Amino acid sequence: MSDNATSESASEKPEVAVEPTAPVPETVTLSIDGIEVTVPKGTKVIEAAKQAGKVIPHFCYHPGLPVDGNCRMCIADVRTWNPRAEKHMPARRPAVTCWVDAEDNMQVFTDTPEVLKSRATVMEFLLLNHPVDCPICDKAGECMLQDYYMLHDRQRSEVRDEKVHKPRLVPFGDRILYNGERCILCSRCTRFTEHVTGTHELGIVNRGDRAIVEVVEGGDFANAYTDNVADICPVGALTKTDFRFKKRVWFLKHTESVCGGCSRTCNTVVDHDREEIIRIMPRERPGVNDFWICNEGRDLYKELAATERPAAASLAGKDQASAEDVIAWIGEGLAAHKKEGRERLAVIGSSWMSNEEAWLLGHLVGKGVKGQHLAVKTDRVDGYPADDVLHTDDHNPNRLGASASGIAPGKKDGKDLAGILAAAQAGEIDTLIVWGPGLAHDWGGDDAVAEALAKVARVIQLTDAVDAVTPLAHAVIPLRNWAERDGTWTNVDGFHSRFKKALRPPKGAWDGFELLLAIADAGGLKSPAKNLREARKKLKQDPELQAREFLDGRFEFPGNQTGFRHLGGVLET
Amino acid sequence: MTYPIVDGARVLLNFERNTESWPLASYESRHGYVTAKEALGGKYTPEALLEEVKQSGLRGRGGAGFPTGLKWSFLPRDPEGPITLVVNADESEPGTFKDRVVMEENPHQLIEGCVLSCYAMGSNNCYIYIRGEYVGCLKRMHAAVEEAYAAGHLGKNLYGSGFDCDITVHSGAGAYICGEETGLIESLEGKKGQPRIKPPFPAVYGVYGYPTIVNNVESIASVVYIADQGAGATVDRTGYRRWGTEKSAGTKLFSVSGPVKRPGVYEVPMGYPFADLLNKECGGMLDGIALKALIVGGSSVPVVDADTAMQITMDYESCQEHGTLLGSGGVIVIGEGTCMVRALWVLLRFYHHESCGQCTPCREGTGWIERIVHRIEHGHASPNDIDELYRIADGMELRTICTLADAAAWPTKSFIDVFRSEFEEHIDKGCCPYDNQFPDPLNLRGGGVPQRHDDPEHVFVP
C-alpha cells in the first residue's frame, strides 16, 4: 500500500526530485502449518517458520553459518504450488527446511505424522553411536540432543551391538577438547573456522561412521575465536577447558551483559552462581557481534576478579571518613566551582563509564559550557590485536559513547586530555575529577602523573580499580564495575548495548550514577534526571546526541533479542 | 574371438574387440571421427544436435535413467561462465564394469562423443573423471586423448569450424560416492568427495560454480551414433530408435557376472529378454547350478527371484514392473547355493565403507544394518532383528542428500522381502545353513571362463 502511495505522489509531482529510496525487498507469503507469514525473498523455510512461531528442530543449521543440510533433522513436509497440476505438490525427496527457500504460495507442514516419524528416525540414528554419557558431560542441560530426545524421540534403545568408538579427549589447541564419540558431525565447527574466522583449522576427516573432526595437519587451533565452536556445538563434543567440570549449567544464572574488552561491545550473557562469574557467553546482536565473541572477552571475568579495588571511601586529612563525608566534600567543591568559575575544574572521564553516567557527570560539571575541561581517557591498554572479525584496536568499550554523552571539551577553550595535563602542570587546575583507573597511560607514566597531580589542590578519584592516581588522590570513592551495575555503552559503530547487574557489589562500592546524584544533592546542584530510567529517556531525546552523525538512526536500546542460546531458549539457535 | 552380434545392435562395440581395437588408426578405419567432422562441418547446428539427442530418447546410462537431452536443455540459455561437460567414468557400482570396456577398447568413440556433446551444449571443455582403481582405463584414455590432440580431433578450431574442445582426463581416488554427480564435482574441484545439497543442480551450479553437465561414459559415447544415424523412430526402426522400446530407446551395455558360462559385457537392444541374455549370450548358467536370484542393475537395485528374473526384459519399464530397476546394467546372477544373507552382508559392508558420512541416516544407518546382517549371518540374532532391519532400512530411505542411503536400503528391503525364509532359517539354526565355499558369495569375478581371457594378450597390463 505504502509503495503505491509513494509512487503515485511521485508521478503527480514530477518537478519534485524523487529521493532515491532503499529498494523495497521482495517478499513472499507462505503458510506454515496454516499460519500465513510474509518474509523477504530468499529466506529459508526454517527462518520463516520461526516467524510463525514454529521452531523446526535442527542441529547443523545455524543462522550465522552457511547452510550445510547434513543432519536431516529439519525435514518437513514442504509443498510447492504446481501451476500445471493446479495443486500443491510434495517434494520428491523430503526437503530440509534449512536449505529450501520460502516461495510464494508454499505450504509447509511441520508436525504431520510423517514429519514426526522422520525426526524420531533421525534422532535414533544420531543417538545410535552416541555414548550417552550425559552425567559426566559439561553440555548436559543445554544439549540439543538431550532436548530433542525428550521432544521428538522418546524411544527405547534398540542397539545390541558395540557402539562405534572414536578418539576422545583430543585437544584442539589449549582451550578446546574434542570428544569424537559425542560428535554428531554437524560440521558447525568446521564451517565456523571456514566462514567466520576464515582460518580453516578444523576439518572432517574419514568417511562414514569413522568420520571425526580434526585440526588440520601440522596446524594448531589457536585463533582468537576458538571458544565459539564449543558454544555452537549442539552436543558435548567440543568443550571449553575453562568451563570443564566447573559447574552444572542448571545452577547458572544468566544476566544479559556487554563485553568491555574492546570498542565492539559484543553483547554477552554473564553466567554466574553464588556471586561469582562462571563463564561469559555470546548473545545474538545483529550488527554488533552477530553470534560470536572472542576468547579475550570470555576471559574478561578473570581480569575482573584479579583487579585490586579501593577498599573504602577515603578523604585526605580525615581518618575513617564515611562515603557521605567524601560526597559532601566533593559536592561542596563542585558548588564552589560553579560560582567561582569552571575553568579551574577538569574532569577526566573513563572509556568504561556508561552513557548515563557520562551524561549526568557532563551535566553536573557543565557540559558544553565555555572553557570547560572534559576528556575521556584510555582505561585499559592491553588486549588482543584488532582483526577483521570483531576485535577493534581500542581495548575500551565506550570512548565514543562517553564523549558523545557529555565528556567532551567545552566549546571554546575547553581542554582535552593533553591540555588538562599541561594545565595541571602549570598549576592552573584546582579540582581534578578522575573516573576510573589508567590515567598513567595517557599522561606518560606514573611519575608524570605524580608530578602533575602534586600541583592540583583537590584530586578526586571515583574508581573501581586502584592505580597510580589512587594513593595520590585527596578523595577516593569506590565504584561498582560493569558486572555490578546497569548501563549502556555505545560501540565504535554507534550501536548501543545495555548491560545489567549480574553480581552483588562489594560493600561500600557505589553505583556511578547514584553516586553522581548524591554528589549533586550534597552540592546543591540541579540534577537533570532523578533516576537511571529518566536519564536513559532524556539521553534518548537529547537533540545534540541525535544530531551526531555516528548515532545515525541507531539510538535504540536493545530490548530482548531473539535467539539467546541459553536464556530460556536453548532451541533457538 | 569376435564379439557376438546381437540383433545387429552395434552402437558402442561395433567392431571386433581385441588389443588392437583402441588406437586412433583402428577407430578411424571404422568410420571414426567422421561424424564429428560432419557435425561441426555444418550437418548440425548445436541446437539441432541437442534436439536430435532429445528425440533419440537416450536416457542416462549411469543408473538413474534421466533423459540425456532433457538434462542438457536445463543449461542456462546465456550462462555467465563457461559450460563444462564432465564424463562420469567413476564406475564403482558393484557388479558394473561396462564403462571400463568402452574406455579400454573404444576410447576414441568416447572422445568423439565428448566433442559432439560439447558442441551440442556449447561447452569448450570436458573432464573425464575416471575411478581411481581403473588404472588401465586412465592410461588408455590418456594415450587416446594424446592421439586425438595430435591428429587434430581435439584442440582449437576443430576441423576449421572455429569450435574448440579440450579434454582433461582426471583420476579419482577410488570412492564410490564420487560417482554421484555432485560428489564427483566436489572431488574434481579438489575437495572431499561429498555430494552437494540440491537444488541447485549441476546444470546451474556445477564445477567451480559454473553450469555443468555430468553424463555417464556410455551415454556420451552413444551420442556419436545418434549424430551419425539420427534419432530415428521406434516404429520405422530407423536411427538410434531402431533398437529398444518407445520409452527405453537404443542399446545398452550389460556387464554380466556370476555363475554363468560366459560372463562379460554385452551390448543388447533395450527390451531384450533377460532369459535370452542369460541363455544365448552368456551361454546359460554353469552346469549344475540353477538360477536363484538376480540383481539386474548393479548392487543398489532390489533383488528379484529366479521366476521374476526370467520374465524381465532389459528395459526401464519392465524392470520397474517387476519391482526392480535397470540401474547401470550391472547384471549380477546369483546361483543356487549362495547364502543370500551373506550376499547382503557383503553388499552392506560395501555401503558402510563407502558412505561419505555427511548425512546422519546414511552415516549411522549403513553401519547399523551391516552389523545386524552380520549378526544374522553368524547366528547371533533374535527373531525380531529381521523386522528391526527392515524398519531401519525404511528409516534411511529418502532422508539423505544423495541416494547412497537408498542404495543400501533398497537391496536390504528386497532381500528380506524375497528371501525372508532364509533370514529366519539363519536365526532358527543359530548359524549359516550354507557351506560358504567362496569367500565372496556374489562371486563377482564370474564363475565360468571369462570370454575375454581367451586371448592372453587381452588382459590389459598398464
Side-chain angles (χ1 to χ4, degrees), chain A residues 190-209:
Chain A
T190 61
R191 277 178 284 149
F192 177 81
T193 59
E194 219 171 296
H195 298 281
V196 179
T197 59
T199 44
H200 299 268
E201 291 111 334
L202 298 181
I204 295 178
V205 298
N206 298 342
R207 287 191 310 206
D209 54 12

Side-chain angles (χ1 to χ4, degrees), chain A residues 72 99 124 129 161 208-209, chain B residues 199 352 355 364 375 391 399:
Chain A
R72 318 309 287 175
W99 179 256
E124 191 179 13
N129 288 314
D161 308 281
D209 54 12
Chain B
H352 179 201
S355 166
E364 309 293 347
R375 230 172 38 215
R391 186 183 68 82
R399 297 224 161 81

Side-chain angles (χ1 to χ4, degrees), chain A residues 67-72 75 92-94 96 98-99 114 117-119 121-122 124-126 128-129 155 158-164 166 183-186 204-211, chain B residues 174-177 192 197-200 352-361 363-365 367-368 371-372 375 380-382 384-385 388 391-392 394-396 398-403 406:
Chain A
V67 178
D68 205 54
N70 61 48
C71 74
R72 318 309 287 175
I75 284 177
R92 250 182 68 234
R93 290 178 82 79
V96 279
C98 67
W99 179 256
E114 292 78 33
K117 182 175 170 254
S118 170
R119 280 177 202 163
T121 310
V122 172
E124 191 179 13
F125 285 126
L126 283 170
L128 180 69
N129 288 314
Q155 305 175 73
E158 300 288 349
V159 188
R160 297 200 285 119
D161 308 281
E162 180 77 12
K163 294 196 173 194
V164 173
K166 290 182 186 177
C183 181
I184 60 164
L185 296 161
C186 67
I204 295 178
V205 298
N206 298 342
R207 287 191 310 206
D209 54 12
R210 284 90 58 211
Chain B
Y176 175 60
I177 197 61
K192 188 180 179 186
I197 190 161
K198 284 159 280 189
H352 179 201
H353 185 259
E354 293 294 339
S355 166
C356 83
Q358 202 178 185
C359 307
T360 310
R363 178 181 68 232
E364 309 293 347
W368 195 4
R371 287 191 288 274
I372 292 178
R375 230 172 38 215
H380 307 306
S382 62
N384 61 358
D385 268 339
E388 185 66 14
R391 186 183 68 82
I392 300 162
D394 207 42
M396 289 163 63
L398 291 174
R399 297 224 161 81
T400 48
I401 291 175
C402 78
T403 53
D406 306 351

